[in-house]
Amino acid sequence: MNDSTLYFKEYFDQQQTGTTSVLNDHRQQAFAAFSQLGVPGVKHEEWKYTRINSLFNTQYRLQSADTLQAADINDLRLPAHEAANELVFINGRYVAALSTLRSKNLVLLPLNEAAEGEYAAIVDQHYGHSADYLRDGINALNTALSDGGIYLHIGKNTEIEHPVYIYHIVDARAEAVLAQPRSLVYLGQNAGVTIVETYHTIGNADSFTNQVFEVAVEKDARLEYYKIQNDVASANLVSTSHIRQTGASHVNTVTISLNGGIVRNNLNLVLEAPYCEGHLYGLYFQQGNSHVDNHTIVDNVAPNCLSYELYKGILDEQSTGVFNGKIFVRQPAQKTNAYQTNKNVLLSKTASVNTKPQLEIFADDVKCSHGCTVGQLDEEALFYLRSRGITQQAAQALLLQGFALDVLEKIKLAPIRAYVDSLIAGRLQFTQS
Amino acid sequence: MLNIQNLHAEIEGKKILKGLNLEIKPGEVHAIMGPNGAGKSTLASVLAGREHFDVTGGTVDFLGKDLLDLAPEERAGEGLFLAFQYPVEIPGLTTTNFIKTAVNQIRKYRGEEPLDAVAFLKMMKEKMAITNIDQSLLSRSLNEGFSGGEKKRNEVFQMAMLEPKLAILDETDSGLDIDAIRIVANGVNKLRSKDNAVLVVTHYQRLLDYIIPDFVHVLYDGRIVKSGPKELALELEEKGYDFIRNEVKVGQEA
Ligand SMILES: Nc1ncnc2c1ncn2[C@@H]1O[C@H](COP(=O)(O)OP(=O)(O)OP(=O)(O)O)[C@@H](O)[C@H]1O
Ligand SMILES: [Mg+2]
């Protein structure tokens, strides 16, 4: 730890809540880890292309102040929110007063409480599992300082009819804020849910959200999980989602990154039981000086699992992108099927992308493939469209919409799909008539 | 309608069109034949506005406008259409959405209101019937995974939808079965009127049995070296291009 992060220590010391729960052990260990590891710099293999040191030159407000009213956030609500469970985090803390639970069978508890009551064993088993995969100070910092996190429990055979919208809102009107939301989600056997996360900063000061979202998915359960990132340029985000498939289950994730400052997504899928199926899709469409880094890990622990991964990038102006896709196939994970593709289109000479597949395979009977491309828009295709009377701008828009389609169509929640389509059409300044 | 004078074009320093002249009047059908690599597709691309060819000399007048001065989409707006020899595959864009955008952008160029959904559908149905093309094909990504013949029929369908004043068909008959050739020819003939003109590039006299040309031209080494009535196509088919080569040689020696 250096001078610029010393105030974390003060905050940590103050914050000791005196609970005896398992969370406290995690906090202690994590703070020790953070003190030792510090903020990952470019020498850290996983942070080579994403520089976040400078984000720590700012002194952030850590205390949550519930300064926002319902009226302040109404404009940020997602389409069809009237039929959704809406969970609102302000500055990294869950705010019940601004949230609405529509599904009676959805159990939501403060993490502190969950760690001590009926769900203590589950919390004990799954909380902090991401730290085994992300050995860096950033993950530790969330565990050490995060407060006001939630536990979501979806019991056995429970289908949550209304989607769960999670809003991460930072109030940076008065000063720079570090928000560290934390969630643990449990899907019991044969449970099903759709979760959508979205991120917004209000105000012009710097905002830095360092999120950890952990999920356990039991046998026959189904998780649809979408992240939509379309924040202002002063908003930086490290968003870690760590999903353990502990039984033969189905997980579909779509990560859409459209705007923001520095965005780092860690998405881990741990396939712990035979016959798990996991899908990872992503679209990053960047402009200005934005930086989006998608780091994914698919860890095949058990045999006969299938994972399918497709990330697509469109980079304009001076934006930079990173894709790093790790696939581990452990020795017992025979008959693994793992596919990975990353495709990028650069729209300007000053945009760039760094893409790296990383396969580590210790089993012999597996089917794995990976491929990545970086290119420009196809000139011949542009000419073909223009020769039919379509303007250059519209032709480019049609080609890019076509390019993005096979990611976008993986968003199965219709209002959210329409919403993302409209954001992209707005970016392209073109709506298909 | 179209008047090409002394057109020169090259790509990466390689001269391809070397002083080409051609005049097409409203109501006429012209056929261009010529050996592989002669420059037929280059001519078609230059007329449609493909930027990677450099036009190094000559003029092209289209309906009183300097064609070479217009962007590809403006040329389409003015009524020019090119059926590609190799139509491009475009993932994620259905033919229906594509053609709807094209129709409405051309209407916009001409200062007309966009077609409403009902009028558009009616037009689609009509042109699908003419070109014998199936709805399921139009709902798929444009040309992606289409068979050779399906791609060509899709070109003719697009032509029918856009109702151009001058249609250039670059080997639209290549790779088509006999029935498909008849359908293509039928599509073209439906378009023919005293105000419209057609330029067909083909290697086969067979197509010209269905689309009867007023003139046949031989494009050889970047120029039109011989023009004649429709019987010229038959003669070429019989004799091959050797006699043209000989004629050109004799011409050059003289
Ligand atoms: N992009 C390019 N780069 C270099 N040479 C090219 C390019 N495009 C065309 N050419 C050359 O230009 C010449 C004319 O090509 P073009 O396609 O116009 O011939 P064509 O008459 O249409 O032949 P075909 O009957 O085979 O279709 C050929 O020698 C071809 O190789
Ligand atoms: Mg050709």
Side-chain angles (χ1 to χ4, degrees), chain A residues 155-159 187-192 218-222:
Chain A
K156 196 171 171 177
N157 299 323
T158 303
E159 181 76 37
L187 273 81
Q189 193 175 325
N190 193 33
E218 300 277 27
K219 184 168 181 291
D220 298 328
R222 302 159 303 278

Side-chain angles (χ1 to χ4, degrees), chain A residues 383-386 388 391 432, chain B residues 73 82 97 105 155 158:
Chain A
F383 174 62
Y384 187 58
L385 299 195
R386 292 179 70 194
R388 299 300 183 247
T391 62
Q432 263 178 52
Chain B
E73 58 268 31
L82 168 62
N97 275 341
Q105 292 235 327
E155 293 292 289
Q158 291 172 33

Side-chain angles (χ1 to χ4, degrees), chain B:
Chain B
M1 165 174 274
L2 183 76
N3 191 354
I4 305 175
Q5 295 280 345
N6 196 25
L7 186 63
H8 287 74
E10 54 184 66
I11 185 158
E12 288 155 18
K14 184 180 167 191
K15 292 187 170 59
I16 300 172
L17 299 184
K18 304 170 182 175
L20 186 141
N21 299 301
L22 179 67
E23 189 179 359
I24 300 178
K25 297 204 173 75
E28 293 178 349
V29 173
H30 291 240
I32 289 186
M33 302 181 85
N36 295 130
K40 303 181 298 297
S41 293
T42 302
L43 172 64
S45 293
V46 166
L47 292 178
R50 182 84 208 253
E51 273 144 11
H52 81 183
F53 293 98
D54 296 321
V55 176
T56 51
T59 57
V60 181
D61 179 285
F62 180 58
L63 295 165
K65 289 212 162 99
D66 178 0
L67 188 72
L68 300 176
D69 211 30
L70 301 178
E73 58 268 31
E74 294 171 328
R75 299 180 192 201
E78 295 294 334
L80 187 85
F81 178 90
L82 168 62
F84 283 53
Q85 183 175 2
Y86 304 108
V88 185
E89 300 196 3
I90 302 192
L93 173 62
T94 64
T95 304
T96 305
N97 275 341
F98 161 64
I99 202 67
K100 192 171 181 188
T101 307
V103 165
N104 282 332
Q105 292 235 327
I106 287 180
R107 293 181 69 90
K108 193 171 163 192
Y109 178 86
R110 295 176 184 163
E112 297 162 7
E113 288 295 309
L115 277 189
D116 64 45
V118 177
F120 177 77
L121 272 179
K122 184 166 170 278
M123 185 176 184
M124 282 268 288
K125 281 221 175 99
E126 209 179 285
K127 308 298 183 182
M128 279 162 61
I130 294 175
T131 50
N132 208 357
I133 204 162
D134 200 62
Q135 177 64 50
S136 64
L137 204 63
L138 302 182
S139 318
R140 281 166 49 185
S141 280
L142 183 54
N143 293 325
E144 199 182 34
F146 284 24
S147 76
E150 286 170 340
K151 282 182 185 168
K152 296 299 174 81
R153 260 192 295 155
N154 193 358
E155 293 292 289
V156 178
F157 167 72
Q158 291 172 33
M159 180 191 74
M161 287 294 289
L162 298 180
E163 298 174 336
K165 298 196 181 95
L166 173 65
I168 304 168
L169 287 86
D170 190 359
E171 293 198 30
T172 304
D173 54 333
S174 295
L176 290 187
D177 62 45
I178 315 274
D179 290 344
I181 287 180
R182 242 183 253 133
I183 291 163
V184 165
N186 186 34
V188 173
N189 289 330
K190 282 250 161 63
L191 183 80
R192 286 180 77 165
S193 77
K194 65 175 181 22
D195 301 321
N196 295 341
V198 183
L199 176 62
V200 290
V201 173
T202 182
H203 286 295
Y204 307 104
Q205 130 75 21
R206 193 178 47 191
L207 178 69
L208 305 179
D209 287 340
Y210 301 105
I211 306 175
I212 296 162
D214 300 298
F215 300 94
V216 175
H217 310 278
V218 181
L219 204 168
Y220 180 82
D221 193 24
R223 277 176 301 144
I224 293 201
V225 295
K226 195 176 171 73
S227 299
K230 64 176 195 294
E231 289 74 22
L232 177 57
L234 276 172
E235 191 181 354
L236 286 169
E237 191 134 295
E238 264 170 43
K239 300 188 184 165
Y241 288 112
D242 271 351
F243 92 96
I244 295 287
R245 279 191 192 101
N246 294 335
E247 274 185 26
V248 172
K249 257 191 215 149
V250 169
Q252 277 167 351
E253 278 158 17

Side-chain angles (χ1 to χ4, degrees), chain A residues 34-55:
Chain A
F34 175 72
S35 305
Q36 192 211 333
L37 296 166
V39 176
V42 291
K43 288 202 190 100
H44 192 297
E45 186 57 32
E46 304 304 330
W47 291 89
K48 218 165 157 175
Y49 301 106
T50 298
R51 291 152 202 241
I52 56 167
N53 307 57
S54 64
L55 298 182

Side-chain angles (χ1 to χ4, degrees), chain A residues 13-211:
Chain A
D13 290 341
Q14 277 168 26
Q15 210 197 7
Q16 292 308 299
T17 52
T19 72
T20 53
S21 87
V22 57
L23 295 192
N24 242 14
D25 300 341
H26 279 283
R27 284 197 184 105
Q28 300 286 351
Q29 282 168 24
F31 198 78
F34 175 72
S35 305
Q36 192 211 333
L37 296 166
V39 176
V42 291
K43 288 202 190 100
H44 192 297
E45 186 57 32
E46 304 304 330
W47 291 89
K48 218 165 157 175
Y49 301 106
T50 298
R51 291 152 202 241
I52 56 167
N53 307 57
S54 64
L55 298 182
F56 286 86
N57 296 337
T58 306
Q59 176 124 4
Y60 295 99
R61 186 172 67 186
L62 300 172
Q63 267 84 1
S64 159
D66 301 338
T67 53
L68 293 172
Q69 316 297 317
D72 298 319
I73 62 168
N74 273 344
D75 289 348
L76 305 178
R77 294 189 190 276
L78 290 167
H81 63 88
E82 306 83 357
N85 296 287
E86 292 191 283
L87 316 186
V88 178
F89 284 74
I90 306 287
N91 297 343
R93 288 161 174 256
Y94 177 69
V95 180
L98 297 175
S99 303
T100 312
L101 287 184
R102 281 199 171 74
S103 302
K104 296 212 167 54
N105 46 7
L106 179 67
V107 178
L108 185 150
L109 290 172
L111 253 174
N112 283 331
E113 278 176 38
E116 290 182 334
E118 147 181 29
Y119 305 113
I122 295 174
V123 175
D124 192 28
Q125 193 186 348
H126 298 292
Y127 185 84
H129 196 259
S130 59
D132 294 352
Y133 288 77
L134 304 166
R135 296 178 186 281
D136 60 44
I138 276 290
N139 186 267
L141 189 65
N142 177 291
T143 307
L145 300 188
S146 170
D147 189 16
I150 57 165
Y151 174 71
L152 274 183
H153 185 92
I154 299 145
K156 196 171 171 177
N157 299 323
T158 303
E159 181 76 37
I160 304 295
E161 182 198 344
H162 305 288
V164 179
Y165 291 177
I166 304 180
Y167 302 92
H168 296 286
I169 297 167
V170 173
D171 179 6
R173 289 176 301 184
E175 55 191 310
V177 172
L178 172 62
Q180 302 208 85
R182 182 83 182 213
S183 312
L184 176 63
V185 179
Y186 178 82
L187 273 81
Q189 193 175 325
N190 193 33
V193 69
T194 297
I195 297 175
V196 184
E197 291 203 279
T198 171
Y199 306 81
H200 291 285
T201 294
I202 299 174
N204 298 322
D206 287 350
S207 98
F208 181 11
T209 298
N210 177 29
Q211 178 201 13

